[in-house]
Coordinates of all heavy atoms in Angstrom, one line a residue:
M1 N 9.9 34.8 -0.9 CA 8.5 34.2 -0.9 C 8.6 32.8 -1.4 O 8.0 31.9 -0.8 CB 7.6 35.1 -1.7 CG 6.2 34.6 -1.8 SD 5.4 34.6 -0.2 CE 3.8 33.9 -0.6
T2 N 9.2 32.6 -2.5 CA 9.3 31.3 -3.1 C 10.0 30.3 -2.2 O 9.6 29.1 -2.1 CB 10.0 31.3 -4.5 OG1 9.4 32.3 -5.3 CG2 9.9 30.0 -5.2
E3 N 11.1 30.7 -1.6 CA 11.8 29.8 -0.7 C 10.9 29.4 0.5 O 11.0 28.2 1.0 CB 13.1 30.5 -0.2 CG 14.2 30.6 -1.2 CD 14.0 31.9 -2.0 OE1 13.2 32.8 -1.5 OE2 14.5 32.0 -3.1
A4 N 10.1 30.3 1.0 CA 9.2 29.9 2.1 C 8.2 28.9 1.7 O 7.9 28.0 2.5 CB 8.5 31.2 2.6
V5 N 7.7 29.0 0.5 CA 6.7 28.0 0.0 C 7.4 26.6 -0.2 O 6.8 25.6 0.2 CB 6.1 28.5 -1.3 CG1 5.1 27.4 -1.9 CG2 5.3 29.8 -1.1
I6 N 8.6 26.6 -0.7 CA 9.3 25.4 -0.8 C 9.6 24.7 0.5 O 9.4 23.5 0.7 CB 10.6 25.6 -1.6 CG1 10.3 26.0 -3.1 CG2 11.5 24.4 -1.6 CD1 11.5 26.4 -3.9
V7 N 10.0 25.5 1.5 CA 10.3 25.0 2.8 C 9.0 24.5 3.5 O 9.0 23.4 4.1 CB 10.9 26.1 3.7 CG1 11.0 25.7 5.2 CG2 12.3 26.4 3.2
L8 N 7.9 25.2 3.3 CA 6.6 24.7 3.8 C 6.2 23.4 3.2 O 5.8 22.5 3.9 CB 5.5 25.8 3.6 CG 4.1 25.4 4.1 CD1 4.1 25.2 5.6 CD2 3.1 26.4 3.7
A9 N 6.4 23.3 1.9 CA 6.0 22.0 1.2 C 6.9 20.9 1.6 O 6.5 19.8 1.8 CB 6.1 22.2 -0.3
L10 N 8.2 21.2 1.8 CA 9.1 20.1 2.3 C 8.8 19.7 3.7 O 8.9 18.5 4.1 CB 10.6 20.6 2.3 CG 11.2 20.7 0.9 CD1 12.6 21.4 0.9 CD2 11.4 19.3 0.3
L11 N 8.4 20.6 4.6 CA 7.9 20.3 5.9 C 6.7 19.4 5.9 O 6.6 18.4 6.6 CB 7.7 21.5 6.8 CG 9.0 22.2 7.2 CD1 8.6 23.6 7.9 CD2 9.8 21.4 8.2
L12 N 5.8 19.7 5.0 CA 4.5 18.9 4.9 C 4.9 17.5 4.4 O 4.3 16.5 4.8 CB 3.6 19.6 3.9 CG 2.8 20.8 4.5 CD1 2.0 21.5 3.4 CD2 1.9 20.4 5.6
V13 N 5.8 17.4 3.5 CA 6.3 16.1 3.0 C 6.9 15.3 4.1 O 6.6 14.1 4.3 CB 7.2 16.2 1.8 CG1 7.9 14.9 1.5 CG2 6.5 16.7 0.6
A14 N 7.7 15.9 4.9 CA 8.4 15.2 6.0 C 7.3 14.8 7.1 O 7.4 13.6 7.6 CB 9.4 16.2 6.7
V15 N 6.4 15.6 7.4 CA 5.3 15.2 8.4 C 4.5 14.1 7.8 O 4.2 13.1 8.5 CB 4.5 16.5 8.7 CG1 3.2 16.1 9.5 CG2 5.3 17.5 9.5
S16 N 4.0 14.2 6.6 CA 3.2 13.1 6.1 C 3.9 11.8 5.8 O 3.4 10.7 6.0 CB 2.5 13.6 4.8 OG 3.4 14.0 3.8
A17 N 5.2 11.9 5.5 CA 6.0 10.7 5.3 C 6.2 10.0 6.6 O 6.1 8.8 6.8 CB 7.3 11.0 4.6
T18 N 6.5 10.8 7.7 CA 6.6 10.3 9.0 C 5.3 9.6 9.5 O 5.3 8.6 10.1 CB 7.1 11.4 10.0 OG1 8.3 11.9 9.5 CG2 7.3 10.8 11.4
A19 N 4.2 10.3 9.2 CA 2.9 9.7 9.6 C 2.6 8.4 8.9 O 2.1 7.5 9.5 CB 1.8 10.7 9.3
A20 N 3.0 8.3 7.6 CA 2.8 7.1 6.8 C 3.6 5.9 7.4 O 3.2 4.8 7.4 CB 3.2 7.3 5.4
V21 N 4.8 6.2 8.0 CA 5.6 5.2 8.6 C 5.1 4.8 10.0 O 5.1 3.7 10.4 CB 7.1 5.6 8.6 CG1 7.9 4.7 9.4 CG2 7.6 5.8 7.2
A22 N 4.6 5.8 10.7 CA 4.2 5.6 12.1 C 2.9 4.9 12.2 O 2.6 4.2 13.2 CB 4.1 7.0 12.8
V23 N 2.0 5.0 11.3 CA 0.7 4.4 11.3 C 0.8 2.9 11.2 O 1.6 2.4 10.3 CB -0.3 5.0 10.3 CG1 -1.6 4.2 10.2 CG2 -0.5 6.5 10.6
R24 N 0.1 2.1 12.0 CA 0.3 0.6 11.9 C -0.8 -0.1 11.2 O -0.6 -1.1 10.6 CB 0.3 0.1 13.4 CG 1.5 0.5 14.1 CD 2.8 0.3 13.3 NE 3.7 -0.5 14.1 CZ 4.9 -0.8 13.5 NH1 5.2 -0.5 12.3 NH2 5.8 -1.5 14.2
D25 N -2.0 0.5 11.1 CA -3.1 -0.2 10.4 C -2.9 0.0 8.9 O -2.8 1.1 8.4 CB -4.4 0.4 10.9 CG -5.6 -0.2 10.2 OD1 -5.6 -1.4 10.0 OD2 -6.6 0.5 9.9
P26 N -3.0 -1.1 8.1 CA -2.7 -1.0 6.7 C -3.7 -0.1 5.9 O -3.4 0.6 5.0 CB -2.8 -2.4 6.2 CG -2.6 -3.3 7.4 CD -3.1 -2.5 8.5
V27 N -5.0 -0.1 6.4 CA -6.0 0.8 5.7 C -5.7 2.2 6.0 O -5.7 3.1 5.0 CB -7.4 0.4 6.3 CG1 -8.4 1.4 5.7 CG2 -7.8 -1.0 5.9
R28 N -5.4 2.6 7.2 CA -5.0 4.0 7.5 C -3.7 4.3 6.8 O -3.5 5.5 6.4 CB -4.9 4.2 9.0 CG -6.2 4.1 9.7 CD -6.1 4.5 11.1 NE -7.4 4.5 11.7 CZ -7.7 4.1 13.0 NH1 -6.7 3.6 13.7 NH2 -8.9 4.1 13.4
Q29 N -2.8 3.4 6.8 CA -1.5 3.7 6.1 C -1.7 4.0 4.6 O -1.1 4.9 4.1 CB -0.6 2.4 6.1 CG 0.6 2.6 7.1 CD 1.4 1.3 7.1 OE1 1.1 0.3 6.5 NE2 2.6 1.4 7.7
S30 N -2.6 3.3 4.0 CA -2.8 3.6 2.5 C -3.5 5.0 2.4 O -3.2 5.7 1.4 CB -3.7 2.5 1.9 OG -4.9 2.5 2.5
L31 N -4.3 5.4 3.3 CA -5.0 6.7 3.3 C -3.9 7.8 3.5 O -3.9 8.8 2.8 CB -6.1 6.8 4.3 CG -7.3 5.9 4.0 CD1 -8.3 6.0 5.1 CD2 -7.9 6.2 2.7
V32 N -3.0 7.6 4.5 CA -2.0 8.5 4.7 C -1.0 8.6 3.5 O -0.5 9.7 3.2 CB -1.2 8.2 6.0 CG1 0.0 9.1 6.2 CG2 -2.1 8.3 7.2
L33 N -0.8 7.5 2.9 CA 0.0 7.4 1.7 C -0.6 8.3 0.6 O 0.1 8.9 -0.2 CB 0.2 6.0 1.2 CG 1.2 5.7 0.1 CD1 2.6 6.1 0.5 CD2 1.1 4.3 -0.4
A34 N -1.9 8.2 0.5 CA -2.6 9.1 -0.5 C -2.4 10.6 -0.2 O -2.2 11.4 -1.1 CB -4.1 8.8 -0.5
V35 N -2.4 10.9 1.1 CA -2.2 12.3 1.5 C -0.7 12.7 1.1 O -0.5 13.8 0.6 CB -2.5 12.5 3.0 CG1 -2.0 13.9 3.4 CG2 -4.0 12.3 3.2
L36 N 0.2 11.8 1.4 CA 1.6 12.0 1.0 C 1.7 12.2 -0.5 O 2.5 13.1 -0.9 CB 2.5 10.8 1.5 CG 3.9 10.9 1.1 CD1 4.6 12.1 1.7 CD2 4.6 9.6 1.5
G37 N 1.0 11.5 -1.3 CA 1.1 11.7 -2.7 C 0.6 13.0 -3.1 O 1.2 13.7 -4.0
V38 N -0.5 13.5 -2.5 CA -1.0 14.9 -2.8 C 0.1 15.9 -2.4 O 0.3 16.9 -3.2 CB -2.3 15.1 -2.1 CG1 -2.8 16.6 -2.3 CG2 -3.4 14.2 -2.7
V39 N 0.6 15.8 -1.2 CA 1.6 16.7 -0.7 C 2.9 16.7 -1.6 O 3.4 17.8 -2.0 CB 2.0 16.4 0.7 CG1 3.1 17.3 1.2 CG2 0.8 16.6 1.6
L40 N 3.3 15.5 -2.1 CA 4.4 15.5 -3.0 C 4.1 16.2 -4.4 O 4.9 16.8 -5.0 CB 4.8 14.1 -3.3 CG 5.7 13.4 -2.2 CD1 5.8 11.9 -2.4 CD2 7.0 14.1 -2.2
A41 N 2.8 16.0 -4.8 CA 2.4 16.7 -6.0 C 2.4 18.2 -5.9 O 2.9 18.9 -6.8 CB 1.0 16.2 -6.4
V42 N 2.1 18.7 -4.7 CA 2.1 20.1 -4.4 C 3.6 20.6 -4.4 O 3.9 21.6 -5.0 CB 1.5 20.4 -3.1 CG1 1.8 21.9 -2.6 CG2 0.0 20.2 -3.1
L43 N 4.5 19.8 -3.8 CA 5.9 20.1 -3.8 C 6.5 20.2 -5.3 O 7.2 21.1 -5.6 CB 6.7 19.1 -3.0 CG 8.2 19.2 -3.0 CD1 8.6 20.5 -2.3 CD2 8.9 18.1 -2.4
F44 N 6.1 19.2 -6.1 CA 6.6 19.2 -7.5 C 6.0 20.4 -8.2 O 6.7 20.9 -9.1 CB 6.2 17.9 -8.2 CG 6.9 16.7 -7.6 CD1 6.2 15.5 -7.5 CD2 8.2 16.8 -7.3 CE1 6.9 14.4 -7.0 CE2 8.9 15.6 -6.8 CZ 8.2 14.4 -6.6
T45 N 4.8 20.8 -7.9 CA 4.2 22.0 -8.6 C 5.0 23.2 -8.2 O 5.3 24.1 -9.0 CB 2.8 22.1 -8.2 OG1 2.1 20.9 -8.6 CG2 2.1 23.3 -9.0
V46 N 5.3 23.3 -6.9 CA 6.1 24.5 -6.4 C 7.5 24.5 -7.0 O 8.0 25.6 -7.3 CB 6.2 24.4 -4.8 CG1 7.2 25.4 -4.3 CG2 4.8 24.7 -4.2
L47 N 8.0 23.3 -7.2 CA 9.4 23.3 -7.9 C 9.3 23.4 -9.4 O 10.3 23.1 -10.1 CB 10.1 22.0 -7.4 CG 10.4 21.9 -6.0 CD1 11.0 20.5 -5.6 CD2 11.4 23.0 -5.6
Q48 N 8.1 23.8 -9.9 CA 7.9 24.0 -11.3 C 8.1 22.7 -12.2 O 8.8 22.7 -13.2 CB 8.8 25.1 -11.8 CG 8.5 26.4 -11.2 CD 9.4 27.6 -11.6 OE1 10.3 27.4 -12.4 NE2 9.1 28.8 -11.1
A49 N 7.6 21.6 -11.7 CA 7.6 20.4 -12.5 C 6.1 19.8 -12.5 O 5.8 18.8 -11.9 CB 8.5 19.4 -11.8
P50 N 5.3 20.5 -13.3 CA 3.9 20.1 -13.3 C 3.6 18.8 -13.9 O 2.7 18.1 -13.5 CB 3.2 21.2 -14.2 CG 4.3 21.8 -15.0 CD 5.5 21.7 -14.2
D51 N 4.4 18.3 -14.9 CA 4.3 17.0 -15.5 C 4.5 15.9 -14.4 O 3.8 14.9 -14.3 CB 5.1 16.8 -16.7 CG 6.6 17.2 -16.4 OD1 6.9 17.8 -15.4 OD2 7.5 16.7 -17.2
V52 N 5.5 16.1 -13.6 CA 5.8 15.1 -12.6 C 4.7 15.2 -11.5 O 4.3 14.1 -10.9 CB 7.2 15.4 -11.9 CG1 7.5 14.5 -10.8 CG2 8.3 15.4 -13.0
A53 N 4.2 16.4 -11.2 CA 3.1 16.5 -10.3 C 1.9 15.8 -10.7 O 1.2 15.1 -9.9 CB 2.8 18.0 -10.0
L54 N 1.5 15.9 -12.0 CA 0.4 15.1 -12.5 C 0.6 13.6 -12.4 O -0.4 12.9 -12.1 CB 0.1 15.6 -13.9 CG -0.6 16.9 -14.1 CD1 -0.7 17.3 -15.6 CD2 -1.9 17.0 -13.4
S55 N 1.8 13.2 -12.7 CA 2.1 11.7 -12.6 C 2.0 11.3 -11.2 O 1.4 10.2 -10.9 CB 3.4 11.4 -13.1 OG 3.5 11.8 -14.5
Q56 N 2.5 12.1 -10.2 CA 2.4 11.8 -8.8 C 1.0 11.7 -8.3 O 0.6 10.9 -7.6 CB 3.2 12.8 -8.0 CG 3.2 12.6 -6.5 CD 3.8 11.3 -6.1 OE1 4.7 10.8 -6.7 NE2 3.2 10.7 -5.1
L57 N 0.1 12.7 -8.8 CA -1.3 12.6 -8.4 C -1.9 11.3 -8.9 O -2.7 10.7 -8.2 CB -2.0 13.8 -9.0 CG -2.0 15.1 -8.2 CD1 -2.7 16.2 -9.0 CD2 -2.6 14.9 -6.9
A58 N -1.7 11.0 -10.1 CA -2.3 9.8 -10.7 C -1.8 8.5 -10.0 O -2.6 7.6 -9.6 CB -2.1 9.7 -12.2
V59 N -0.5 8.3 -9.9 CA 0.0 7.1 -9.4 C 0.2 7.1 -7.8 O -0.3 6.2 -7.2 CB 1.4 6.8 -10.0 CG1 2.1 5.6 -9.4 CG2 1.3 6.7 -11.5
G60 N 0.8 8.1 -7.3 CA 1.1 8.2 -5.9 C -0.1 8.4 -5.0 O -0.1 7.9 -3.8
S61 N -1.1 9.2 -5.4 CA -2.2 9.5 -4.5 C -3.5 8.8 -4.9 O -4.4 8.9 -4.2 CB -2.4 11.0 -4.4 OG -2.7 11.5 -5.7
A62 N -3.5 8.1 -6.0 CA -4.7 7.4 -6.4 C -4.5 5.9 -6.7 O -5.1 5.1 -6.0 CB -5.3 8.0 -7.7
L63 N -3.6 5.6 -7.6 CA -3.5 4.2 -8.0 C -2.8 3.3 -6.9 O -3.4 2.2 -6.5 CB -2.7 4.1 -9.3 CG -2.6 2.7 -9.9 CD1 -4.0 2.3 -10.3 CD2 -1.7 2.8 -11.1
T64 N -1.7 3.7 -6.3 CA -1.0 2.9 -5.3 C -1.9 2.7 -4.1 O -2.0 1.6 -3.6 CB 0.3 3.6 -5.0 OG1 1.1 3.7 -6.2 CG2 1.1 2.7 -3.9
P65 N -2.5 3.7 -3.5 CA -3.4 3.5 -2.3 C -4.5 2.6 -2.6 O -4.9 1.7 -1.8 CB -3.8 4.9 -1.9 CG -2.8 5.8 -2.3 CD -2.3 5.2 -3.6
L66 N -5.1 2.7 -3.8 CA -6.2 1.9 -4.2 C -5.8 0.4 -4.3 O -6.5 -0.5 -3.8 CB -6.8 2.3 -5.6 CG -7.9 1.5 -6.2 CD1 -9.1 1.6 -5.3 CD2 -8.2 1.9 -7.6
L67 N -4.6 0.2 -4.9 CA -4.1 -1.2 -5.0 C -3.9 -1.8 -3.6 O -4.1 -3.0 -3.3 CB -2.9 -1.3 -5.9 CG -3.1 -1.1 -7.4 CD1 -1.8 -1.0 -8.1 CD2 -4.0 -2.2 -7.9
L68 N -3.3 -1.0 -2.7 CA -3.1 -1.4 -1.4 C -4.3 -1.8 -0.6 O -4.4 -2.8 0.1 CB -2.3 -0.4 -0.6 CG -0.8 -0.2 -0.9 CD1 -0.2 1.0 -0.3 CD2 0.0 -1.5 -0.6
L69 N -5.4 -0.9 -0.8 CA -6.6 -1.2 -0.1 C -7.3 -2.5 -0.7 O -7.8 -3.3 0.1 CB -7.6 0.0 -0.3 CG -7.3 1.2 0.5 CD1 -8.2 2.4 0.1 CD2 -7.5 0.9 2.0
L70 N -7.2 -2.7 -2.0 CA -7.8 -3.9 -2.5 C -7.0 -5.1 -2.1 O -7.6 -6.2 -1.8 CB -7.8 -3.8 -4.1 CG -8.8 -2.8 -4.7 CD1 -8.5 -2.7 -6.2 CD2 -10.2 -3.1 -4.3
T71 N -5.7 -5.0 -1.9 CA -4.9 -6.1 -1.5 C -5.2 -6.5 0.0 O -5.4 -7.6 0.3 CB -3.4 -5.8 -1.6 OG1 -3.2 -5.5 -3.0 CG2 -2.6 -7.0 -1.2
V72 N -5.3 -5.5 0.8 CA -5.7 -5.7 2.2 C -7.0 -6.3 2.3 O -7.2 -7.3 3.1 CB -5.6 -4.4 3.0 CG1 -6.2 -4.5 4.4 CG2 -4.1 -3.9 3.1
R73 N -8.0 -5.9 1.5 CA -9.3 -6.4 1.6 C -9.3 -7.9 1.2 O -9.9 -8.7 1.8 CB -10.2 -5.6 0.6 CG -11.6 -6.1 0.6 CD -12.4 -5.2 -0.4 NE -13.7 -5.8 -0.6 CZ -14.5 -5.4 -1.5 NH1 -14.1 -4.5 -2.4 NH2 -15.7 -6.0 -1.7
K74 N -8.6 -8.2 0.1 CA -8.5 -9.6 -0.3 C -7.8 -10.5 0.7 O -8.3 -11.6 1.0 CB -7.8 -9.7 -1.6 CG -7.8 -11.1 -2.2 CD -7.5 -11.1 -3.7 CE -7.7 -12.5 -4.2 NZ -8.1 -12.5 -5.6
V75 N -6.7 -10.0 1.3 CA -6.0 -10.8 2.3 C -6.9 -11.0 3.5 O -7.0 -12.1 4.1 CB -4.7 -10.1 2.7 CG1 -4.1 -10.7 4.0 CG2 -3.7 -10.2 1.6
R76 N -7.6 -10.0 4.0 CA -8.5 -10.2 5.1 C -9.7 -11.1 4.8 O -10.0 -11.9 5.7 CB -9.1 -8.8 5.6 CG -8.0 -8.0 6.3 CD -8.6 -6.7 6.8 NE -7.5 -6.0 7.5 CZ -7.7 -4.8 7.9 NH1 -8.8 -4.1 7.7 NH2 -6.7 -4.2 8.6
R77 N -10.2 -11.1 3.6 CA -11.3 -12.0 3.2 C -10.7 -13.5 3.2 O -11.4 -14.4 3.7 CB -11.8 -11.7 1.9 CG -12.9 -10.6 1.9 CD -13.5 -10.5 0.5 NE -14.5 -9.6 0.5 CZ -15.2 -9.2 -0.6 NH1 -14.9 -9.8 -1.8 NH2 -16.1 -8.3 -0.6
R78 N -9.6 -13.6 2.7 CA -9.0 -15.0 2.6 C -8.7 -15.5 4.0 O -8.9 -16.7 4.3 CB -7.7 -14.9 1.8 CG -7.1 -16.3 1.6 CD -6.0 -16.3 0.6 NE -6.5 -16.0 -0.7 CZ -5.7 -15.8 -1.8 NH1 -4.4 -15.8 -1.7 NH2 -6.3 -15.6 -3.0
G79 N -8.3 -14.6 4.9 CA -8.0 -15.1 6.3 C -9.3 -15.5 7.0 O -9.3 -16.4 7.7
Q80 N -10.4 -14.7 6.8 CA -11.7 -15.1 7.4 C -12.2 -16.4 6.8 O -12.7 -17.2 7.5 CB -12.7 -13.9 7.1 CG -12.4 -12.7 8.0 CD -13.3 -11.6 7.6 OE1 -14.1 -11.6 6.7 NE2 -13.2 -10.5 8.3
R81 N -12.0 -16.6 5.5 CA -12.5 -17.8 4.9 C -11.7 -19.0 5.4 O -12.2 -20.1 5.6 CB -12.4 -17.7 3.4 CG -13.1 -18.8 2.7 CD -12.9 -18.7 1.2 NE -11.5 -18.8 0.8 CZ -11.0 -18.3 -0.3 NH1 -11.8 -17.8 -1.2 NH2 -9.7 -18.4 -0.6
G82 N -10.4 -18.8 5.6 CA -9.6 -19.9 6.1 C -10.0 -20.3 7.5 O -9.9 -21.5 7.8
H83 N -10.4 -19.4 8.3 CA -10.8 -19.8 9.7 C -12.1 -20.6 9.6 O -12.3 -21.4 10.5 CB -11.0 -18.5 10.5 CG -9.7 -17.9 10.9 ND1 -8.7 -18.5 11.6 CD2 -9.2 -16.7 10.5 CE1 -7.7 -17.7 11.7 NE2 -7.9 -16.6 11.1
E84 N -12.9 -20.3 8.7 CA -14.2 -21.0 8.6 C -14.0 -22.4 8.0 O -14.7 -23.3 8.3 CB -15.2 -20.2 7.6 CG -15.6 -18.9 8.2 CD -16.4 -18.1 7.2 OE1 -16.5 -18.5 6.0 OE2 -16.8 -17.0 7.5
D85 N -12.9 -22.6 7.2 CA -12.6 -23.9 6.6 C -11.9 -24.9 7.5 O -11.5 -25.9 7.1 CB -11.8 -23.7 5.3 CG -12.6 -23.1 4.2 OD1 -13.9 -23.1 4.3 OD2 -12.0 -22.5 3.2
G86 N -11.6 -24.5 8.7 CA -10.9 -25.4 9.6 C -9.6 -24.8 10.2 O -8.8 -25.6 10.7
G87 N -9.5 -23.5 10.2 CA -8.4 -22.9 10.8 C -7.1 -22.6 10.0 O -6.2 -22.0 10.4
H88 N -7.1 -23.1 8.7 CA -6.0 -22.9 7.9 C -6.3 -21.6 7.0 O -7.3 -21.5 6.5 CB -5.7 -24.1 7.0 CG -5.3 -25.3 7.7 ND1 -4.1 -25.4 8.4 CD2 -5.9 -26.4 8.0 CE1 -4.0 -26.6 9.0 NE2 -5.2 -27.2 8.7
G89 N -5.3 -20.8 6.9 CA -5.5 -19.6 6.0 C -5.3 -19.9 4.6 O -5.4 -19.0 3.7
D90 N -5.1 -21.2 4.2 CA -4.8 -21.5 2.8 C -6.0 -22.4 2.2 O -5.8 -23.1 1.3 CB -3.5 -22.2 2.6 CG -3.4 -23.5 3.5 OD1 -4.4 -23.7 4.2 OD2 -2.4 -24.2 3.4
G91 N -7.1 -22.3 2.8 CA -8.3 -23.1 2.3 C -8.3 -24.5 2.8 O -9.0 -25.3 2.3
G92 N -7.6 -24.8 3.9 CA -7.6 -26.1 4.5 C -6.7 -27.1 3.9 O -6.8 -28.3 4.1
H93 N -5.7 -26.7 3.1 CA -4.8 -27.7 2.5 C -3.5 -27.9 3.3 O -2.6 -28.6 2.8 CB -4.3 -27.1 1.1 CG -5.5 -27.1 0.1 ND1 -6.1 -28.2 -0.3 CD2 -6.1 -26.1 -0.5 CE1 -7.1 -27.9 -1.2 NE2 -7.1 -26.6 -1.3
G94 N -3.4 -27.3 4.5 CA -2.3 -27.6 5.3 C -1.0 -27.0 4.8 O 0.1 -27.4 5.2
G95 N -1.0 -26.0 4.0 CA 0.1 -25.3 3.5 C 0.8 -25.8 2.3 O 1.8 -25.3 1.9
Y96 N 0.3 -26.9 1.7 CA 0.9 -27.5 0.6 C 0.4 -26.9 -0.7 O 1.0 -27.0 -1.8 CB 0.6 -29.0 0.5 CG 1.4 -29.8 1.6 CD1 0.6 -30.5 2.5 CD2 2.7 -29.7 1.7 CE1 1.3 -31.2 3.5 CE2 3.4 -30.4 2.7 CZ 2.6 -31.2 3.6 OH 3.3 -31.9 4.6
G97 N -0.8 -26.3 -0.7 CA -1.4 -25.8 -1.9 C -2.0 -26.9 -2.7 O -2.2 -26.8 -3.9
G98 N -2.4 -28.0 -2.1 CA -3.1 -29.0 -2.8 C -2.2 -30.1 -3.3 O -1.0 -30.1 -3.0
P99 N -2.7 -31.1 -4.0 CA -1.8 -32.2 -4.4 C -0.7 -31.8 -5.3 O 0.4 -32.3 -5.2 CB -2.8 -33.1 -5.2 CG -4.2 -32.7 -4.8 CD -4.1 -31.3 -4.4
A100 N -0.8 -30.8 -6.1 CA 0.3 -30.4 -7.0 C 1.4 -29.8 -6.2 O 2.6 -30.0 -6.5 CB -0.2 -29.3 -8.0
G101 N 1.0 -29.1 -5.1 CA 2.1 -28.5 -4.2 C 2.9 -29.6 -3.5 O 4.1 -29.5 -3.3
R102 N 2.2 -30.7 -3.1 CA 2.9 -31.8 -2.5 C 3.8 -32.5 -3.4 O 5.0 -32.8 -3.1 CB 1.9 -32.8 -1.9 CG 1.5 -32.5 -0.5 CD 0.6 -33.6 0.0 NE -0.6 -33.0 0.5 CZ -1.8 -33.2 0.0 NH1 -2.0 -34.0 -0.9 NH2 -2.8 -32.5 0.5
R103 N 3.4 -32.7 -4.7 CA 4.3 -33.3 -5.7 C 5.5 -32.5 -5.9 O 6.6 -33.0 -6.1 CB 3.5 -33.6 -7.0 CG 2.6 -34.8 -6.9 CD 2.2 -35.2 -8.4 NE 1.4 -34.1 -9.0 CZ 0.1 -34.0 -8.9 NH1 -0.6 -34.9 -8.3 NH2 -0.5 -33.0 -9.6
G104 N 5.2 -31.1 -6.0 CA 6.4 -30.2 -6.2 C 7.4 -30.3 -5.1 O 8.6 -30.2 -5.4
R105 N 7.0 -30.4 -3.9 CA 7.9 -30.5 -2.8 C 8.6 -31.8 -2.8 O 9.8 -31.9 -2.5 CB 7.1 -30.3 -1.4 CG 6.8 -28.9 -1.2 CD 6.3 -28.8 0.3 NE 6.1 -27.4 0.6 CZ 5.7 -27.0 1.7 NH1 5.5 -27.8 2.7 NH2 5.6 -25.7 1.9
E106 N 7.9 -32.9 -3.1 CA 8.6 -34.2 -3.0 C 9.6 -34.4 -4.1 O 10.6 -35.0 -4.0 CB 7.5 -35.3 -3.1 CG 6.7 -35.4 -1.8 CD 5.5 -36.3 -2.0 OE1 5.4 -36.9 -3.1 OE2 4.7 -36.4 -1.1
S107 N 9.3 -33.7 -5.3 CA 10.2 -33.9 -6.4 C 11.5 -33.1 -6.2 O 12.5 -33.4 -6.8 CB 9.6 -33.4 -7.7 OG 9.3 -32.1 -7.7
G108 N 11.5 -32.1 -5.3 CA 12.7 -31.3 -5.0 C 13.6 -31.9 -4.1 O 14.7 -31.4 -3.8
R109 N 13.3 -33.1 -3.5 CA 14.2 -33.7 -2.5 C 15.3 -34.4 -3.1 O 15.5 -34.9 -4.1 CB 13.4 -34.7 -1.7 CG 12.5 -34.0 -0.8 CD 11.8 -35.0 0.1 NE 10.8 -34.3 0.9 CZ 9.8 -34.9 1.5 NH1 9.7 -36.2 1.6 NH2 8.9 -34.2 2.2

């Protein structure tokens, strides 16, 4: 019975990990990553490692997907703002990062 539960948990991990790699949209990827974290926590529980399972729940299925979602949101906002400022994704500075960026590039020559 125990071996069957372990095999089932491993199959769920394989399916959810494959889905996380196959999905192309970053928002959906982070949600699938959260599911993968939960499935891994179940696997760790089945393998009698509850402390690792709790850590996986906290980090792998909650914190990491949340950070990814916040990062994607910020990058998309910055990209939209850059289009409004004149087509540059960097706030209209032409990729130099402002006067300090230009000085930094010139001093490296």
Side-chain angles (χ1 to χ4, degrees):
M1 176 67 180
T2 306
E3 291 85 17
V5 175
I6 292 173
V7 169
L8 179 65
L10 285 171
L11 286 174
L12 286 173
V13 167
V15 168
S16 57
T18 304
V21 172
V23 173
R24 294 310 233 179
D25 181 38
V27 174
R28 288 187 179 143
Q29 252 181 351
S30 62
L31 295 175
V32 173
L33 187 64
V35 171
L36 175 61
V38 170
V39 172
L40 281 170
V42 169
L43 175 66
F44 293 140
T45 303
V46 168
L47 294 175
Q48 298 178 357
D51 51 342
V52 179
L54 285 173
S55 299
Q56 178 62 35
L57 274 176
V59 176
S61 62
L63 188 63
T64 302
L66 177 66
L67 288 174
L68 286 172
L69 284 172
L70 291 173
T71 303
V72 168
R73 180 178 173 197
K74 185 162 187 151
V75 167
R76 286 185 178 170
R77 276 188 180 178
R78 186 171 289 174
Q80 288 174 354
R81 187 181 64 201
H83 290 296
E84 292 170 1
D85 290 341
H88 297 290
D90 57 357
H93 294 295
Y96 291 121
R102 270 186 236 115
R103 279 195 301 270
R105 282 192 175 180
E106 291 170 1
S107 64
R109 289 184 188 168

